[in-house]
Amino acid sequence: MRNENPVYIADSLWEGMRAGAVASFLHPLERNEPCLVSLAEVKADEWLMFELNIWPESIQSDEPPPGYFDIDESAFEDAA
């Protein structure tokens, strides 16, 4: 279930969750294949960050301020 607001957790906890997710995405025989491990890492990141909205604490300071991505609709209005 996706959290409405981002949840920031300690980096060590996030890395543990990520490692667990990577392991769950890989079959035991695939763990020695670098390409498949890289793919599982990307899949784990997508699952944690975009599906569950859980992020490592270290990137919290990189968040843009509230309203940063809001669009000024008046810029698209006709001047006529």
Side-chain angles (χ1 to χ4, degrees):
M1 180 175 187
R2 181 174 166 79
N3 299 306
E4 185 64 31
N5 295 315
V7 175
Y8 296 97
I9 60 175
D11 288 10
S12 58
L13 180 58
W14 194 86
E15 287 295 332
M17 289 179 69
R18 182 177 187 255
V22 168
S24 71
F25 290 134
L26 287 172
H27 185 276
L29 297 176
E30 298 172 336
R31 294 192 177 142
N32 292 327
E33 297 292 329
C35 291
L36 295 176
V37 171
S38 295
L39 182 61
E41 289 172 347
V42 170
K43 196 172 177 182
D45 290 345
E46 288 178 346
W47 179 68
L48 285 169
M49 293 187 282
F50 300 116
E51 290 187 33
L52 299 180
N53 208 7
I54 298 174
W55 300 79
E57 233 174 18
S58 61
I59 68 159
Q60 189 171 9
S61 62
D62 296 337
E63 283 285 308
Y68 181 81
F69 293 108
D70 292 349
I71 296 175
D72 180 9
E73 298 286 333
S74 66
F76 300 102
E77 294 175 1
D78 288 337

